[in-house]
Amino acid sequence: MKKLINDPRRVVADSARGFGLAHSGLVRVNEDPLYIVRAAGVTPGKVGLVSGGGSGHEPLHAGFVGPGMLDAAVPGAMFSSPPPMPILEATRAVDGGAGVVHLIKNYTGDVLNFEAAAELAEAEGIDTRSVLIADDVALEHAAGMTGRRGVAGALLVEKIAGAAAEAGEGLDTVARIARYVAGQVRSMGVALRAPTVPHAGRPSFDLGEDEVEIGIGIHGEPGRERVRLGTAAEITQRLIVPVISDLNLRNGEEALLLVNGMGGTPLSELYVLYAEARDLLDRRGIRVIRSLVGNFVTSLEMQGASISVLRMSETLTRLWDAPVDTVSLRSPLR
Amino acid sequence: MERAHAVFAAERVALIELDRAIGDGDHGENMDRGMTAVAKRLAADAETSQETPTPAALLKTVATTVMANVGGAAGPLFGTAFLRAAKATDSVSAPDGELDGHAVATALEAALGGLQSRGKAEVGEKTMVDAWAPAAQAAREAAEAGGDATAVLAAAAHAAEEGADATVPMIATKGRASYLGPRSAGYRDPGAVSTVLLLRTATEAALELSAAAEAAAGEDAE
């Protein structure tokens, strides 16, 4: 393992310190317990938006704290959700009296810890709503199962719900919009090489030189199948076809296309995927009206990418275009 | 708990490896961090208070410390288990806080109930419930057969071990391993393995305590 770190157990704390120092105009880092809030403080009367989860997915979520998006981000240990107490304290810190929405990626640990934190917040009189993000089509829906993971679609939910909250919508409306967006976005990812969690010291899984893992999660979990590395066009096809068919996206509909890097893939390759995905959608008569390409929801230094498609409407387009000022996402987004 | 801290520090790598195979590799780190925080907290408590805490008070401290310091799925699950065990222990322990076999069995049953209400898992889904459920049942049987606290814990630890082994061929339908579907078979569930480690450690601590008590009683007789 070669990493620019001091101590495997201090990576998250050391990184958060640097983040706070580098972006002090936008964010404030609370060190114990660890959470990140807007530098300007709580906005009275505005619904607060809190997200969080394991670290290692930077810039998610701390990079999206700021006007027009999140009020707080709660980073857990590497690839491990934060305990209830920091989530509770972040929730208290951003409650402007209008209640707080928790945006939760659908992982057992995240769900359990946010659930416990919401119970504690409610007991203190803070009105909370929970929204689950489960956009990964690599996993089948089945009764009694854990359900689909939340992956890069989280970014789109956070942006649009953030715009709704900033516009002054109430608690139930913000939660409803967030759930709606979560229901209209689907994603699928591919890994060419696994990430190495600092405290584990070795890659999360082993892949042969000519193999790729299709349908990976953002924690370095193996995916649903292992295939030979083909061309970018073949990989794109494998990723986007299940996305389109699960969304039931039809000829003539409008969409947002997000090509997200997992941390270890150059932008040039992400744009190769984007071009292939764009062609594929064009051929099906699906109009891509907004696009985003870059490393937004990463998996440490994992080599790979994910493709997300969000079905757009007039309202979602307006909310997507609304001003945003965060470390990693700034207007204009056209 | 001091002993549990040492056990998890020693087993951290093995748990990470196991979790790396079918999960995401955070379980060993989480348990190690949790037990380190618990050991630190108990040592701090021991410095400020002369009195030895009752088992119920001790379990409650463990529960709140785990909940404040351990994320992932293990934090809230083990935290809830310890909290329910603390509550149950409080109502069944003797006036001096001592636990008999029945009280230990009740605490383990309460822990299982807490786990299931938080995690909503059933037996057979390849989770820590597959170790806790047989452990609670074996504990009750041992208590009814007249076993003392140590015997009941030993029976629970043994049953948990068999339960953890039984998770090997299972296909996970709950938790991170469930994403792997059939590929999750062939490994013991990391949470079940941690359960075995906890119960085995508790048994060893109880054995040591009763041996110390006997030695003290022997000295008194002389």
Side-chain angles (χ1 to χ4, degrees), chain A residues 80-81 113 144 146 202-203 213 223, chain B residues 17 20 26 30 71-72 175 178 183:
Chain A
S80 196
S81 61
N113 287 291
T146 307
R202 45 182 297 203
E213 186 88 22
Chain B
E17 274 304 297
R20 173 182 177 270
D26 69 343
N30 275 335
S178 69
R183 279 207 270 172

Side-chain angles (χ1 to χ4, degrees), chain A residues 147-205:
Chain A
R148 290 174 165 176
R149 298 174 284 224
V151 288
L155 159 71
L156 308 179
V157 179
E158 289 175 4
K159 167 66 186 83
I160 292 173
E166 213 70 55
E169 300 290 357
L171 184 62
D172 284 315
T173 307
V174 173
R176 186 168 48 74
I177 290 171
R179 282 192 196 106
Y180 179 76
V181 178
Q184 298 297 328
V185 59
R186 300 285 190 280
S187 308
M188 180 115 137
V190 60
L192 281 63
R193 195 193 58 220
T196 297
V197 183
H199 61 241
R202 45 182 297 203
S204 301
F205 56 89

Side-chain angles (χ1 to χ4, degrees), chain B residues 101 104-106 108-109 134-144 152-153 155-156 159:
Chain B
V104 172
T106 303
L108 291 176
E109 284 165 351
Q137 197 188 335
R140 177 56 64 197
E141 283 162 13
E144 300 211 324
V152 169
L153 276 172

Side-chain angles (χ1 to χ4, degrees), chain A residues 9 77 79-81 83-84 106-109 112-113 119 139 144-146 149 199 202-204 206 213 221 223, chain B residues 12 17 20 24-26 29-30 32-33 67-73 76-77 118 173-176 178-180 183:
Chain A
R9 286 156 202 258
F79 288 0
S80 196
S81 61
N106 191 30
Y107 289 94
T108 308
L112 290 177
N113 287 291
E119 269 175 40
L139 303 164
M145 302 282 284
T146 307
R149 298 174 284 224
H199 61 241
R202 45 182 297 203
S204 301
D206 306 306
E213 186 88 22
E221 315 95 307
Chain B
R12 187 178 77 91
E17 274 304 297
R20 173 182 177 270
D24 57 357
D26 69 343
E29 185 67 21
N30 275 335
D32 183 26
R33 188 173 52 239
M67 283 216 192
N69 291 284
V70 188
L77 289 172
R118 181 58 75 209
T173 56
K174 280 277 181 332
R176 196 64 60 76
S178 69
Y179 304 141
L180 283 177
R183 279 207 270 172

Side-chain angles (χ1 to χ4, degrees), chain B residues 6 15 25 37 60 66-67 77-78 81 123 148 157 161 167 175 197 214:
Chain B
L15 281 172
K60 195 171 174 214
V66 166
M67 283 216 192
L77 289 172
F78 276 116
V123 170
D148 62 4
E161 192 137 22
T167 62
L197 293 176
E214 267 170 39

Side-chain angles (χ1 to χ4, degrees), chain A residues 297-318:
Chain A
V297 182
T298 61
S299 187
L300 292 169
E301 79 282 35
M302 187 196 273
Q303 210 181 329
S306 66
I307 298 182
S308 303
V309 177
L310 168 65
R311 174 185 276 116
M312 293 299 264
S313 65
E314 219 173 282
T315 307
L316 294 199
T317 307
R318 181 171 50 77

